[in-house]
Amino acid sequence: MAKAIMYDATKCTACRGCQAACKQWNELEAEETKNTGSYENPADLSYRTWLKMRFTEVENGNGLAWLFTRRACMHCTDAGCVQVCPTKAVNKTDSGIVYIDREKCTGCGYCVEACPFDVPRLDGSRVTGKAKMFKCILCKDRVDNGHEPACVKTCPPGALDFGEREDMVAKSEARVAELGDDALLYGDKELDGLHVLYVVNHPLKDHKLPVNPEVSPAVTLWQDILKPVGYGVVGIVAGGLLLNYMVARARMVKAKEGK
Amino acid sequence: MTHHEVEKYSAGARWFHWTITAAALVLAITGLFLYVPAFSSVAEGGATRIVHRIAAVIFILAPLLFFLMKPGRSFHFIKEIFSWGKDDLAWLKAAPDYYFGGDEKKMPPQPDMNTGQKLWAVVAFFSALGFIFTGIFMWFLKDTLSAGVFDWMVIIHDLCFIVGGAMLLVHLYLGAIHPRMTESLKSMVKGKVSAEYAQSHHGKWYKEVAAREAAAKGTPGGQGKQQAH
Amino acid sequence: MEISRRDFFKLSGAATAGGFLIYQTLDAQKAAAEASLDLHKPIGEGYTICPYDGSGCGFLVAAEDGRVVNIEGDPDHPVNRGAACAKGASMRQLSADNERRLNKPRYRRAGGADWEDLEWDEALDMIAERIKSTRDANWIENEGESISRRTEAIGCLGGAALDNEECYLLSKMMRGLGLVYLEHQARI
Amino acid sequence: MTNHWTDVANSDYIMVIAGNPAENHPAAYGHITDAIERGAKLIVVDPRFTRSASKAHLYCPIRSGTDVAFIGGLIKYVIDDMEANPGNYNMTYVTEYTNAAFLVHPDYKGPPDLDGLFAGYDEANRTYGKSKWTYLDAGSTEGNIIPVLYPLAEGGKGVAKKDKTLKDPNCVFQILKRQYARYTPEMVNKISGAPVEKFLEVAQTFAKSGAVGKAGNILYAMGATHHTNGAQIIRSYGILQLLLGNVGVSGGGIQAMRGESNVQGSTDQALLSHIIPGYLNVPVHTDATLQKYIDRVTPKTGDPLSLNWWKNTPKYITSLLKAWYGGAATASNDFAFHYMPKPKSGKNHTHIALFEAMEKGDEDKKEKVKGLMCWGQNPAVGSPNANQTLRALETLDWLVCVDMWETETSVFWKRPGVDPTTIDTEVFQLPALGSYEKEGTVSNSGRWVQWRYKCADGPGDARADLEMLNDLMLKVKKLYDDDAAAPNRDGILSLTWDYAAEGEHVDPRKVLKEVNGYYVTGEKAGQLVNGFANLADNGSTSCGNWVYCGCYVDEASLDAFENANKAAMFPPDNMGNRTARRWTADVGNAGFGSKPEDGYKPIGLYNYYAWCWPANRRIVYNRASVDLNGQPWDTEHPVITWFGDAAGAWKGDVSDGGGKAMVHGGHAPFIMRSEGVGCLFAPNLGTREASLADGPLPEHYEPWESPLDANPLSATKNDPVIKIWRPEEQSTPDEYPIVASTYRVVEHWQAGQMTRNSSWLVEQMPEMFIEMSEELAAEKEIKNGDKVVVWNTRGEITAVALVTKRFKPFQMNGTTVHQIGMPWHWGYSGLSTGDSANVLTPSVGDPNTTIPEYKAFLCNIRRA
């Protein structure tokens, strides 16, 4: 049932077809950018950049490597953004897509801060707070209609694949085995399983992927403890006040009658 | 029963109170939309978030303005709410019976702010500080704060909401609904309470007021500013 | 005091339970899955070949009322198998919707500071006249003893961005007129 | 490309040199990934660590402009290894399918003998006399040396003497061995800076492709051609691949990765000064008659094994003249040959010459170019020496720019820093339709001719170039109709031109059919010709371009497989238009299935997808993929297989030349050569087969602007016959010690008018930049992201510094040379603007092609 993207960094050539295809399919406007001494651009994800490639030059005993890393929503199973969304605008579909129903989004931005991968972005104004959250939704409309996500479909060297998550995990494991010692699969277990799996053959830190991503304890505290406690406290107080009213009123009536 | 009325709240204090109340209610309600998903449809489109911000500005500016205009009274108020004594303990002991049963006898006489009101004021004071501090961070420093710090800001904001909100409910109830607090709302609307009410609810204060009034009758201009005890 | 301590606990318990009930009603995760979405635009049926590099990748174009709404790789094309690089995936921005596209013949007179609009007929008439006058005035009928029949006063560049049919006609026309400076991108 | 994109997946060893497919041919790059998945090794050789290099098993840097030294080193390695371990190589291929065994004229001398020169150098005229660069005729006797040089001397047989033991000191193999003996790994390092161990690793790896049944592929692009010895660089690839038996086989060959969607097609249609459609030589003033032309260019041979396909030249030129002049072309008037323009023999009319003639007048008569038409080309950015180009444009009387966009060329008169009122050029800017706004065909690198459809409307009044051309020519014809005194008026009026009335839509099918060719007389008159084998030299057929013959046929001429699938294969309005076929099943010629008994294994030929010139042959020289019995060297990837004497005995791809397997009396595999074999040594045979201008074998010379004082290999520093227009502009290493190279990035395209107006691409690559090593940056106190100025004798440009580990200074036997690189996509017009790299590139050209030297020139750099 659950789907997943497999990103094989060892095949990726950073042609950035995915970056452009994402904008094309999702009707995202271009950013104004600068060359700051790198091929990498835009500098960061934004409300109109849902996917970008990261370029990293690494030199070690094995010579020079030019690493490319996909940067977009990981569609976590244990998704901080979903947990934290006060209006349930960010939600998880059966296929594992972390979807944002922008109608429901109030732009609070809690998801932005709750994401261990720093993915969700807000548009709009910081001052008025009127905003919506934007991020990769794994081309939900395409997936719902049996098509691959735009980035996967466009990938020339076949670095991206899409399918049933268990198939993608199996394929990734096979690829890792084929690549040998340095290779590893990222995303199978992280956050109860990401729906974007990475095959890399350089250390995660070289790819700037968080080694043990986790949803901040604050998010758990807030969502699983504080909120229910809040309802409880308010419930108790409200109940107490109601009781008080009934009792006090009854007494007053009694007292009056007594007079 | 006399129809003599005494001034409980000055016009400035009343304006301040109602402004802050209005802002707080708006903040609480618009905040609630984010807290309770069932209400989230109201928040769609983000209009409530703008309202929340406007109210927040009022919520921050009103006390500042009041402080600037009436620094003395403000200091006095703050000093008063943090002055706790034996009477307060007695009040707290007697309060349940009083508020449920209406037994006044055990209630120690109270100054113009009774212990319950002080308690509310302290909670309101700290939650307001919490709201404002965390709110400003969440509003303006979202992009610079680290995700972890932001999460804690949200938690503190919400914690303030839970505690302050619960106390606000109590305050609203006592101020406007409780069968005995008949003149509390009036006092904040018109500024005056009947002498009777004042005597029953704020005995200590009434004594002072009465003394002052008597003195004033004898010596015009003798409205000595008195410190609360 | 008629409310016993027990009652109080009972009441508190009830209130707490009530609170959690409210929480359950108002805040519980939605169980129902997000509804399935329709494609927000068609994928495309029109068939074209990429205008960029020489790979010859196949693309599908979707248009509504003559306006392009989507372009992506043709999954059945043997070369690109649905793939598109950054340029191919951006191909839609070459469409008429790009406000930088030229849409009117324009003329800049000698020493002129700006463009002037022309009608097609006018523009082509003017060009035809210039071709003829430059050609005729710079005609090389003979090279030494040999017949040569050419003009070296007009150059023609381009073709790699044109279709074969256009290139062929360009070749035919320019050679037919006697041009020898016939060059295009393959040389540079 | 000898092969095509999908076939790259069948390679065992892939050497990408002077190309960067991951960035410049990205979608097709997927087939390289497929090959790697199958176990292929990817080698990337490039001055810079590119995105392609990032995926390579083996990356070896070489200094720009030293490809011949590097490949020469590989050739030496292979020859040495071949003598030591002949079992590791396909020696049958080498002796039977190449000219290794051919004896060369005994007076031939080469660089080892003449300190870098070849026999026959004329220093005064900077040219070679090539009479000794040929074979020794089999009719030679002791004392009577006859060269294979047409017209043949008395007693000549037109066949070379051979020594199949490859031992004769005058055989090509031995000459090759002597030529490259000097290219030791140490010498390769001294010249190219390639580390010796890396070079050897490349050699050991790629040499493995010489084994029977293994395929090695060389993929190159403009990194090879954009040199003063570009043609020789390509030749060196050819020599290496022939020695390794890689030409003609699946997964082998030499792939020129074309950079524009139809640069293959525009070359086929001969938008070049030296050819006319179908790669026929351009007639020159000495060709007084058609026969003289035919005699001059048609290759001849006395070898019965050679099919010598170019012997059909008379059929192709006659059919072309019939297509162009129709009824006005008759046998009695030389098929109107006299109407065709004939430039002065030997005079250069290529790109640089055009702009030099524009500014200063031509080298012959000082004639100036006064009018220029640019059809989707932007020379203000794309020409070398851009400042010279702009100065030249200012001297024009009139300029026509046909494009989808405003280009740097069309607005040169209002470029920054220029007062428009001082420029007297009239400029016309005509709005053109884009690729999916009109119908027609384009030809990709793999020679696939593909039909594309109109899918959307263009903006405003924009029109297809085809219609502009039609209207323009009709108007020109009208003007000449009215002027009886005009020169060669009949030539213009006779030119067939009946595509559509003025102002009407032109159906490109009508043009494509003319390109394909018709029968013009006899009972088939009016029918389309089904294949160039049916073209005639008597005027009974017309054909606009013989290599395209067979691309569009009548319904009655469809083959059995096409007929069986007619409805699915041909859209109704494209019946018989083979370029419109989109048959995605991978089937071979004549629709053989995938069963071995059908003679076809699915190796990715896709014979019914689109159409491929020549004759729908997907892999050219495919007769070299089989042994003398016609059985594939590589049974896993058989391109063609001989199935005995039966009709259609060759199965798989369309076999080169048909006929029988060689042992059964069939012809030699390289049908486009009069020898019938591949040329390790490129002889001058006196016809169109005239060798190269700068030698029958590639020899390393330093680029015109070299960082070295001398050529480490010989006393001849530069290629002695390169074309230099502006010697005074040579930048020298004392002032300009840094080697620079230009290139492209995946996010932009060529002169940039398409991509610099696409915001999504501008976003990804917003600004002009210059890449340099950390070492050079430190030396020049440049930080990553700084603005820097790069300058040389021709001008200066400013750009963002991109300091990277991907450039490393070259250590060449003690000498350190820095190289920088820059994309050339920018100019002053468009959504994203920036300085043009071509401000810095020199006006020098390869002696064979006069392609400019864009890839190796000198400059200096400083922080802005």
Side-chain angles (χ1 to χ4, degrees):
Chain A
M1 197 60 209
K3 306 273 188 193
I5 285 179
M6 170 187 168
Y7 167 67
D8 186 344
T10 68
K11 285 190 192 170
C12 173
T13 58
C15 76
R16 297 197 278 189
C18 50
Q19 242 179 268
C22 177
K23 296 222 158 186
Q24 198 281 131
W25 179 259
N26 294 301
E27 311 289 342
L28 304 177
E29 275 180 28
E31 318 236 6
E32 285 209 8
T33 55
K34 285 257 155 227
N35 189 324
T36 54
S38 165
Y39 280 29
E40 189 171 325
N41 248 324
D44 195 9
L45 295 175
S46 82
Y47 72 91
R48 48 188 177 163
T49 300
W50 299 354
L51 186 167
K52 63 162 289 195
M53 293 308 301
R54 182 183 273 152
F55 293 63
T56 319
E57 290 174 12
V58 182
E59 204 164 27
N60 55 29
N62 301 324
L64 174 63
W66 199 5
L67 303 183
F68 312 124
T69 318
R70 174 189 163 100
R71 194 138 149 54
C73 178
M74 299 289 211
H75 299 277
C76 322
T77 300
D78 177 18
C81 58
V82 173
Q83 283 189 46
V84 84
C85 180
T87 61
K88 298 287 169 264
V90 192
N91 55 61
K92 214 162 171 59
T93 68
D94 293 342
S95 52
I97 296 175
V98 175
Y99 181 66
I100 161 83
D101 180 348
R102 225 160 280 125
E103 298 254 296
K104 286 194 194 141
C105 175
T106 65
C108 70
Y110 294 179
C111 51
V112 176
E113 312 300 335
C115 175
F117 297 103
D118 185 27
V119 166
R121 291 290 184 275
L122 297 177
D123 70 346
S125 148
R126 229 18 28 114
V127 179
T128 63
K130 196 168 155 58
K132 295 282 180 189
M133 185 272 264
F134 294 81
K135 69 164 192 71
C136 156
I137 52 167
L138 222 139
C139 289
K140 185 173 184 301
D141 61 339
R142 294 177 65 101
V143 172
D144 285 350
N145 290 280
H147 296 280
E148 293 171 313
C151 57
V152 175
K153 186 186 167 189
T154 207
C155 182
L160 289 168
D161 199 357
F162 178 75
E164 295 299 322
R165 189 171 185 279
E166 53 189 62
D167 296 344
M168 291 298 111
V169 170
K171 197 179 158 191
S172 303
E173 282 169 344
R175 177 71 179 154
V176 166
E178 183 188 327
L179 287 165
D181 289 346
D182 295 336
L184 62 95
L185 163 59
Y186 180 78
D188 185 22
K189 301 286 185 288
E190 282 74 9
L191 292 161
D192 297 344
L194 310 180
H195 291 79
V196 183
L197 305 165
Y198 284 60
V199 172
V200 296
N201 61 355
H202 279 80
L204 290 176
K205 70 168 173 34
D206 290 350
H207 280 279
K208 301 195 179 86
L209 289 167
V211 176
N212 282 308
E214 50 184 17
V215 176
S216 154
V219 169
T220 319
L221 173 68
W222 186 72
Q223 188 65 27
D224 294 346
I225 299 175
L226 196 61
K227 275 192 106 180
V229 165
Y231 285 109
V233 166
V234 172
I236 289 168
V237 169
L241 293 176
L242 185 68
L243 180 73
N244 176 273
Y245 182 78
M246 292 187 304
V247 172
R249 182 146 185 97
R251 289 280 173 86
M252 274 181 76
V253 172
K254 218 181 205 174
K256 263 185 196 161
E257 280 169 358
K259 270 182 189 170
Chain B
M1 194 180 273
T2 167
H3 288 285
H4 176 64
E5 288 193 327
V6 289
E7 187 180 80
K8 181 81 171 33
Y9 297 112
S10 68
R14 279 181 281 141
W15 267 106
F16 171 65
H17 175 269
W18 287 116
T19 311
I20 268 282
T21 306
L25 282 176
V26 168
L27 284 165
I29 291 164
T30 52
L32 196 65
F33 296 149
L34 284 193
Y35 196 92
V36 184
F39 301 152
S40 66
S41 58
V42 187
E44 283 168 13
T48 59
R49 285 166 47 74
I50 299 177
V51 173
H52 195 82
R53 279 159 166 73
I54 295 168
V57 172
I58 296 169
F59 191 76
I60 294 166
L61 285 186
L64 279 180
L65 207 64
F66 189 81
F67 187 87
L68 288 176
M69 285 163 65
K70 308 223 170 185
R73 275 220 52 182
S74 305
F75 274 123
H76 170 75
F77 175 80
I78 291 166
K79 190 160 184 189
E80 196 176 351
I81 65 171
F82 287 110
S83 306
W84 288 67
K86 263 187 219 156
D87 284 355
D88 295 309
L89 208 64
W91 187 93
L92 284 173
K93 274 184 184 163
D97 264 2
Y98 170 74
Y99 285 99
F100 278 98
D103 189 351
E104 285 179 36
K105 289 169 200 113
K106 288 182 203 160
M107 290 290 277
Q110 294 285 311
D112 65 340
M113 277 217 286
N114 67 29
T115 306
Q117 285 171 310
K118 277 202 302 201
L119 188 65
W120 158 238
V122 167
V123 170
F125 180 81
F126 280 113
S127 57
L129 278 185
F131 275 131
I132 292 169
F133 179 76
T134 56
I136 285 176
F137 268 84
M138 287 156 66
W139 187 354
F140 294 107
L141 301 172
K142 189 174 233 161
D143 297 331
T144 41
L145 279 185
S146 80
V149 175
F150 182 88
D151 291 338
W152 285 106
M153 292 295 163
V154 173
I155 286 177
I156 294 167
H157 208 77
D158 281 22
L159 204 60
C160 292
F161 184 57
I162 294 166
V163 176
M167 281 304 283
L168 179 68
L169 279 183
V170 176
H171 177 68
L172 288 173
Y173 172 74
L174 289 179
I177 299 167
H178 194 282
R180 272 175 200 284
M181 306 296 125
T182 47
E183 291 190 38
S184 174
L185 186 60
K186 189 181 123 193
S187 73
M188 207 33 108
V189 177
K190 293 187 173 167
K192 292 180 176 177
V193 289
S194 66
E196 233 176 0
Y197 182 88
Q199 199 160 18
S200 122
H201 288 80
H202 304 277
K204 251 187 186 171
W205 171 74
Y206 181 67
K207 259 189 209 160
E208 286 167 22
V209 174
R212 238 186 293 147
E213 276 184 354
K217 270 172 196 165
T219 53
Q223 306 161 304
K225 286 181 184 173
Q226 296 192 24
Q227 301 288 321
H229 304 290
Chain C
M1 174 78 195
E2 281 171 48
I3 299 175
S4 68
R5 203 159 285 237
R6 237 174 91 190
D7 288 337
F8 180 76
F9 283 129
K10 268 189 198 164
L11 274 164
S12 322
T16 311
F20 275 91
L21 196 68
I22 298 168
Y23 167 69
Q24 283 301 321
T25 329
L26 299 182
D27 207 343
Q29 290 260 6
K30 251 201 257 170
E34 196 65 40
S36 183
L37 300 177
D38 290 334
L39 285 175
H40 78 268
K41 57 181 177 180
I43 299 251
E45 289 182 342
Y47 178 72
T48 191
I49 302 294
C50 179
Y52 289 115
D53 74 51
S55 305
C57 302
F59 279 80
L60 299 176
V61 182
E64 285 169 354
D65 302 323
R67 218 187 119 248
V68 184
V69 295
N70 192 56
I71 302 187
E72 55 188 71
D74 174 6
D76 294 327
H77 196 284
V79 172
N80 62 315
R81 300 172 287 189
C85 66
K87 288 192 291 289
S90 304
M91 204 193 294
R92 195 176 118 211
Q93 290 194 319
L94 302 177
S95 79
D97 283 348
N98 187 325
E99 57 190 25
R100 304 186 69 88
R101 280 288 297 276
L102 301 177
N103 55 19
K104 191 100 187 117
R106 294 174 119 189
Y107 172 63
R108 181 261 178 185
R109 59 184 72 239
D114 216 340
W115 292 113
E116 302 164 34
D117 282 353
L118 282 185
E119 291 307 317
W120 270 109
D121 210 38
E122 233 179 322
L124 294 178
D125 273 334
M126 289 166 77
I127 296 167
E129 280 161 18
R130 279 154 186 77
I131 289 173
K132 181 171 189 299
S133 60
T134 304
R135 172 191 179 273
D136 293 356
N138 299 280
W139 187 250
I140 303 170
E141 181 69 20
N142 295 305
E143 182 69 48
E145 299 293 296
S146 313
I147 202 166
S148 186
R149 293 197 167 159
R150 66 181 202 263
T151 177
E152 303 212 355
I154 304 176
C156 181
L157 289 177
L162 308 185
D163 291 353
N164 279 312
E165 297 72 25
E166 294 165 340
C167 292
Y168 171 75
L169 280 201
L170 202 52
S171 220
K172 180 178 176 181
M173 173 177 169
M174 297 307 162
R175 293 286 180 203
L177 290 172
L179 267 66
V180 292
Y181 282 114
L182 187 57
E183 286 278 294
H184 82 288
Q185 289 92 335
R187 182 79 66 196
I188 57 168
Chain D
M1 284 189 168
T2 55
N3 299 36
H4 59 124
W5 290 112
T6 59
D7 181 64
V8 175
N10 299 327
S11 303
D12 298 304
Y13 302 91
I14 300 172
M15 178 153 61
V16 171
I17 179 166
N20 183 6
E23 299 191 50
N24 296 326
H25 306 87
Y29 176 88
H31 299 284
I32 297 180
T33 312
D34 285 3
I36 294 172
E37 294 251 287
R38 278 186 46 252
K41 294 280 175 241
L42 175 63
I43 301 163
V44 171
V45 181
D46 201 290
R48 172 183 64 126
F49 191 93
T50 61
R51 281 182 251 193
S52 299
S54 80
K55 293 280 124 10
H57 298 99
L58 191 50
Y59 164 69
C60 183
I62 59 166
R63 172 170 63 96
S64 195
T66 62
D67 304 54
V68 168
F70 186 84
I71 299 289
L74 294 183
I75 293 171
K76 172 182 163 51
Y77 178 91
V78 168
I79 289 176
D80 291 351
D81 195 38
M82 195 174 262
E83 288 189 324
N85 307 293
N88 291 347
Y89 296 89
N90 190 340
M91 294 314 293
T92 309
Y93 190 108
V94 175
T95 47
E96 300 292 338
Y97 293 174
T98 77
N99 63 3
F102 286 38
L103 300 196
V104 169
H105 196 298
D107 293 342
Y108 163 79
K109 294 275 180 292
D113 319 306
L114 302 175
D115 209 0
L117 292 172
F118 292 91
Y121 187 58
D122 171 356
E123 200 171 351
N125 295 308
R126 290 174 52 79
T127 58
Y128 276 110
K130 301 192 272 190
S131 62
K132 305 294 184 287
W133 303 0
T134 188
Y135 304 127
L136 179 65
D137 194 279
S140 303
T141 54
E142 208 150 331
N144 183 22
I145 291 165
I146 302 176
V148 182
L149 185 63
Y150 289 91
L152 268 186
E154 184 108 7
K157 293 184 173 170
V159 187
K161 235 178 205 175
K162 291 165 195 158
D163 171 24
K164 293 202 175 175
T165 67
L166 310 182
K167 298 280 193 269
D168 189 301
N170 276 340
C171 80
V172 165
F173 188 80
Q174 292 299 327
I175 285 173
L176 201 63
K177 189 180 163 189
R178 283 205 298 282
Q179 164 72 5
Y180 294 106
R182 300 164 296 149
Y183 291 62
T184 60
E186 293 69 30
M187 180 58 79
V188 170
N189 166 260
K190 205 170 174 182
I191 296 172
S192 73
V196 169
E197 68 281 6
K198 277 280 174 205
F199 164 77
L200 284 172
E201 222 181 317
V202 172
Q204 284 151 8
T205 306
F206 199 70
K208 287 182 192 155
S209 72
V212 176
K214 290 288 175 197
N217 210 335
I218 293 183
L219 276 61
Y220 75 91
M222 305 311 267
T225 55
H226 279 165
H227 285 295
T228 40
N229 59 343
Q232 294 288 12
I233 290 173
I234 314 305
R235 276 272 301 135
S236 71
Y237 303 158
I239 293 168
L240 180 63
Q241 289 294 65
L242 285 171
L243 280 174
L244 294 170
N246 282 331
V247 180
V249 306
S250 174
I254 303 167
Q255 321 308 333
M257 299 180 290
R258 297 289 208 159
E260 308 208 31
S261 59
N262 199 33
V263 75
Q264 181 66 57
S266 51
T267 305
D268 302 338
Q269 311 311 335
L271 290 169
L272 290 165
S273 60
H274 68 294
I275 48 172
I276 53 176
Y279 300 93
L280 300 173
N281 300 52
V282 81
V284 294
H285 79 284
T286 51
D287 300 326
T289 63
L290 181 57
Q291 194 54 49
K292 278 199 166 173
Y293 167 81
I294 288 169
D295 289 346
R296 178 174 68 86
V297 302
T298 309
K300 298 167 187 65
T301 182
D303 191 340
L305 277 179
S306 170
L307 210 52
N308 184 24
W309 199 267
W310 278 113
K311 71 173 180 253
N312 297 307
T313 302
K315 299 175 186 172
Y316 306 151
I317 180 67
T318 310
S319 296
L320 173 65
L321 289 166
K322 285 299 289 179
W324 283 14
Y325 294 102
T330 63
S332 59
N333 74 351
D334 242 3
F335 297 104
F337 183 69
H338 58 286
Y339 286 150
M340 288 197 84
K342 293 170 192 71
K344 186 178 177 184
S345 175
K347 187 169 167 186
N348 194 322
H349 294 99
T350 61
H351 188 98
I352 303 177
L354 166 62
F355 282 90
E356 291 292 334
M358 205 180 289
E359 190 190 357
K360 300 193 301 198
D362 69 44
E363 54 195 20
D364 184 33
K365 297 194 173 73
K366 300 295 159 206
E367 296 262 10
K368 291 185 82 168
V369 174
K370 298 181 171 112
L372 179 70
M373 289 174 266
C374 294
W375 299 82
Q377 187 169 347
N378 187 8
V381 174
S383 296
N385 208 343
N387 287 337
Q388 188 276 326
T389 304
L390 292 166
R391 286 197 306 274
L393 289 173
E394 291 181 4
T395 68
L396 284 171
D397 290 347
W398 53 269
L399 168 69
V400 180
C401 289
V402 184
D403 214 295
M404 295 161 68
W405 321 90
E406 194 169 85
T407 67
E408 281 75 4
T409 307
S410 75
V411 296
F412 80 93
W413 46 274
K414 57 171 179 177
R415 66 186 189 272
V418 156
D419 175 10
T421 58
T422 62
I423 295 170
D424 287 333
T425 310
E426 288 182 289
V427 186
F428 298 86
Q429 183 178 264
L430 304 180
L433 290 180
S435 54
Y436 47 75
E437 295 159 359
K438 61 184 182 187
E439 283 183 299
T441 61
V442 284
S443 304
N444 75 359
S445 280
R447 297 164 282 105
W448 291 19
V449 187
Q450 304 191 80
W451 186 264
R452 55 187 182 193
Y453 295 83
K454 175 181 161 73
C455 305
D457 297 331
D461 292 343
R463 296 182 70 192
D465 299 65
L466 195 62
E467 290 169 12
M468 293 183 222
L469 274 165
N470 185 50
D471 284 5
L472 189 58
M473 190 59 190
L474 290 174
K475 284 176 186 294
V476 168
K477 276 184 165 241
K478 217 180 284 171
L479 292 177
Y480 279 93
D481 204 23
D482 296 342
D483 180 3
N488 201 20
R489 171 178 180 252
D490 291 347
I492 292 176
L493 296 180
S494 303
L495 197 71
T496 58
W497 206 273
D498 58 347
Y499 307 105
E502 205 183 308
E504 297 294 311
H505 171 65
V506 181
D507 187 347
R509 290 168 190 77
K510 202 163 181 184
V511 182
L512 189 57
K513 286 176 182 173
E514 177 180 325
V515 171
N516 176 83
Y518 290 98
Y519 293 98
V520 292
T521 59
E523 59 188 35
K524 287 187 172 175
Q527 291 181 21
L528 291 162
V529 180
N530 184 17
F532 49 70
N534 299 318
L535 295 175
D537 60 3
N538 60 2
S540 63
T541 57
S542 74
C543 176
N545 188 339
W546 72 273
V547 301
Y548 280 63
C549 192
C551 74
Y552 207 138
V553 297
D554 293 316
E555 195 173 343
S557 303
L558 298 180
D559 72 24
F561 189 71
E562 286 172 320
N563 249 319
N565 301 288
K566 194 156 45 179
M569 205 178 283
F570 296 98
D573 55 349
N574 274 314
M575 181 51 67
N577 181 355
R578 286 171 166 156
T579 69
R581 297 183 300 186
R582 287 162 68 194
W583 195 258
T584 54
D586 180 10
V587 291
N589 179 40
F592 292 110
S594 55
K595 295 193 293 293
E597 57 267 38
D598 287 334
Y600 179 67
K601 283 186 182 179
I603 61 164
L605 292 175
Y606 295 98
N607 274 90
Y608 289 83
Y609 200 94
W611 185 83
C612 181
W613 75 258
N616 202 31
R617 184 173 301 123
R618 305 286 156 146
I619 296 177
V620 297
Y621 306 120
N622 56 30
R623 294 297 278 272
S625 73
V626 294
D627 61 20
L628 301 171
N629 289 301
Q631 301 309 302
W633 303 115
D634 178 2
T635 49
E636 284 303 299
H637 303 100
V639 183
I640 54 168
T641 309
W642 169 252
F643 276 77
D645 268 332
W650 290 103
K651 294 186 176 179
D653 196 6
V654 178
S655 81
D656 238 335
K660 299 178 176 179
M662 257 180 105
V663 289
H664 299 290
H667 56 77
F670 287 81
I671 64 168
M672 302 311 283
R673 287 293 309 182
S674 62
E675 311 91 325
V677 295
C679 290
L680 299 168
F681 178 94
N684 168 33
L685 302 177
T687 60
R688 66 176 285 149
E689 296 178 326
S691 189
L692 280 75
D694 47 354
L697 289 171
E699 165 77 353
H700 169 74
Y701 301 109
E702 282 297 306
W704 186 55
E705 292 184 354
S706 162
L708 306 185
D709 295 329
N711 183 349
L713 202 56
S714 74
T716 311
K717 186 178 177 190
N718 301 128
D719 188 321
V721 293
I722 54 174
K723 184 78 188 142
I724 303 162
W725 274 273
R726 292 168 181 267
E728 72 281 5
E729 286 186 0
Q730 188 174 34
S731 298
T732 48
D734 49 343
E735 275 180 84
Y736 307 102
I738 300 164
V739 178
S741 198
T742 64
Y743 41 74
R744 298 174 292 161
V745 294
V746 60
E747 298 82 2
H748 285 293
W749 191 65
Q750 313 298 26
Q753 58 271 46
M754 304 272 270
T755 53
R756 281 190 290 109
N757 283 312
S758 292
S759 59
W760 289 327
L761 296 170
V762 169
E763 168 195 280
Q764 293 190 5
M765 258 318 165
E767 287 177 273
M768 171 69 184
F769 62 90
I770 285 163
E771 291 185 283
M772 68 196 73
S773 68
E774 291 172 341
E775 292 80 358
L776 177 63
E779 206 173 281
K780 300 280 181 184
E781 297 181 338
I782 293 165
K783 288 195 301 296
N784 193 26
D786 280 352
K787 285 265 192 261
V788 290
V789 175
V790 179
W791 80 102
N792 63 16
T793 48
R794 293 167 289 273
E796 66 168 50
I797 61 168
T798 305
V800 176
L802 202 154
V803 181
T804 172
K805 298 178 195 303
R806 295 177 294 98
F807 257 119
K808 292 270 190 282
F810 291 101
Q811 305 298 338
M812 297 144 58
N813 193 25
T815 313
T816 301
V817 171
H818 288 292
Q819 180 162 354
I820 62 171
M822 59 193 90
W824 62 275
H825 303 293
W826 273 271
Y828 44 78
S829 168
L831 193 61
S832 162
T833 58
D835 285 354
S836 296
N838 278 326
V839 164
L840 304 171
T841 51
S843 305
V844 294
D846 175 283
N848 300 285
T849 62
T850 49
I851 199 166
E853 175 62 89
Y854 288 116
K855 295 291 187 276
F857 53 91
L858 294 180
C859 65
N860 209 336
I861 186 166
R862 64 167 190 269
R863 213 166 54 201

